[in-house]
Amino acid sequence: MNLSQWLDRIEQLHPKSIDMGLERVGEVAGRLGVARPARRVITVGGTNGKGSTVAFIEAIGRAAGWRVGAYTSPHLLAYNERIRIDRVDADDAMIVAAFEAIEAARGDTPLTYFEYGTLAALWLFQRANLDLAVLEVGLGGRLDATNVVDPDVAAITTVDVDHQDYLGEGREAIGHEKAGIARAWKPLVLGDDDPPSSVLRHAYSIAAKTLRIGCDFFVDLPGAASGDPDDPGAIRAGRWHWREVGHRIDLPMPGLVGQMQLRNAAVAIAALRALDKSPPDRAVAQGIADARIRGRLQCFDRDGVEVVVDVGHNPQAAHALADWLAASPVAGRTHAVYAALADKDVAGVVSALATSVDHWHLAGLARHAPRGVFVADFAPRLAGTAAQAGRRHDTVADALDAAVAAASPADRVLVFGSFHTAAEALTLLETAPATPSS
């Protein structure tokens, strides 16, 4: 079978798309012998910022001359994006070989689509002689398939309310699930100014060494209005310093756009410096500047109209988008193309952006079953919000075309709401003749 056939097959092998727990995947991982996929392992969890933090860790490690593997999810345009070795996507043949090895090892043990992908990444990493593997948690942490590996350092970027059906209601319950990636006596890096007590309680109970932003490591912004990494004035400062007691690194602004990236970069640096071997400062600076990832405030120009694509899909991410829009104003209006999955807090997302958006275009994601919905089902969920009168479109492509057509050269179009939303927009924007604006 080719990769496409394999992906079709593994989607059908398990009756549930998500079946949280480590017993099955741990059993197969043991048979494959992939429990230690690299000399050092960093696992990154959190509600938002995981992918960006992984990108920073990966870029810094490469700048230090290390051989680095990164496993992330979901993908945007191609499954291969999920597994990278030295910042190059795994090719079809590599992934097929991994799937074949998993199939031979699993016997009668059922595995989900995500579990297959996780084991494939670990199998490829173990054979690549890596100095560092970076694993992005898929959902939660405690029962996520990536947690079959014991990391040398765990990092939790943020904790906010999302995926309540699987992780529980409220930050405390969700924090408990995310804290499950921590290991006894090992460093746990926290990117939240005020992490849930459940996270701190679990870290204390297993004697994990917690490293907290604003307590154990800091973002210093010379020339900014405040020392808050989320201050919209932060990016205008031009340079920044990462600091811990007894050590400071002078850094360029991140290669990824948005003031929230200072926090993600700071967590990445702290995680790397918590390893038994940390990268030199010059590699940290180079990696921070070089880091790239699709779909995070990715900008394009369409005849003078700025089109910005972001994967943000929950209220916390929407607040970050609103901060960026406020810090990077345009002379004209802001048009939003918004499409979300059925289980998202769409009212909370719109509320966060209500004063930032002038015109709304709503789109359906019906072809992304089972959580995708038709716009006729999506739009009524926005009754009573700033987006309730938004124009309705069957697809993201239709909505994007309409928003760009309605925009003037000084306007901005923001496309967001889901990885699927971003992927559909990028498919159009990256193939059409245009010049990326950043």
Side-chain angles (χ1 to χ4, degrees), residues 120-372:
L122 298 179
W123 190 84
L124 290 169
F125 290 168
Q126 201 230 19
R127 282 154 178 74
N129 192 30
L130 299 180
D131 297 297
L132 175 67
V134 195
L135 308 178
E136 179 187 347
V137 171
L139 180 63
R142 181 175 65 92
L143 299 177
D144 188 78
T146 57
N147 210 28
V148 298
V149 175
D150 291 325
D152 298 285
V153 176
I156 300 174
T157 55
T158 62
V159 178
D160 204 53
V161 177
D162 203 3
H163 300 294
Q164 297 97 307
D165 290 348
Y166 296 99
L167 305 181
E169 296 290 335
R171 291 181 78 235
E172 290 297 326
I174 292 170
H176 171 73
E177 294 299 320
K178 295 189 183 298
I181 65 174
R183 291 298 187 270
W185 308 103
K186 298 289 187 179
L188 171 64
V189 179
L190 302 177
D192 242 322
D193 290 319
D194 184 22
S197 59
S198 58
V199 174
L200 301 176
R201 187 164 53 246
H202 179 71
Y204 179 79
S205 71
I206 64 171
K209 179 185 178 183
T210 58
L211 300 167
R212 296 173 58 179
I213 194 168
C215 295
D216 302 289
F217 62 97
F218 304 86
V219 174
D220 290 338
L221 298 161
S226 74
D228 181 1
D230 297 319
D231 179 355
I235 296 302
R236 292 195 292 270
R239 302 280 297 181
W240 66 291
H241 302 142
W242 184 93
R243 176 171 57 88
E244 62 185 359
V245 175
H247 193 80
R248 190 184 82 167
I249 309 174
D250 180 57
L251 295 166
M253 282 298 157
L256 302 180
V257 177
Q259 58 266 27
M260 78 291 290
Q261 297 299 353
L262 289 172
R263 183 178 296 270
N264 296 331
V267 169
I269 296 168
L272 284 161
R273 287 187 57 80
L275 293 170
D276 62 339
K277 177 183 179 181
S278 59
D281 290 356
R282 58 164 180 76
V284 173
Q286 182 181 333
I288 292 300
D290 288 350
R292 296 290 185 274
I293 187 170
R294 276 173 163 167
R296 276 68 169 183
L297 291 175
Q298 189 171 349
C299 301
F300 299 84
D301 180 89
R302 282 294 176 273
D303 298 323
V305 176
E306 183 185 50
V307 180
V308 182
V309 180
D310 194 84
V311 298
H313 54 269
N314 54 43
Q316 186 182 56
H319 280 291
L321 281 174
D323 288 343
W324 180 79
L325 291 169
S328 309
V330 291
R333 303 163 298 168
T334 296
H335 306 253
V337 172
Y338 180 36
L341 296 174
D343 58 347
K344 297 303 175 182
D345 178 6
V346 295
V349 167
V350 172
S351 176
L353 286 159
T355 60
S356 304
V357 173
D358 301 295
H359 301 285
W360 291 85
H361 292 261
L362 310 178
L365 293 172
R367 69 187 185 90
H368 298 289
R371 294 190 294 154

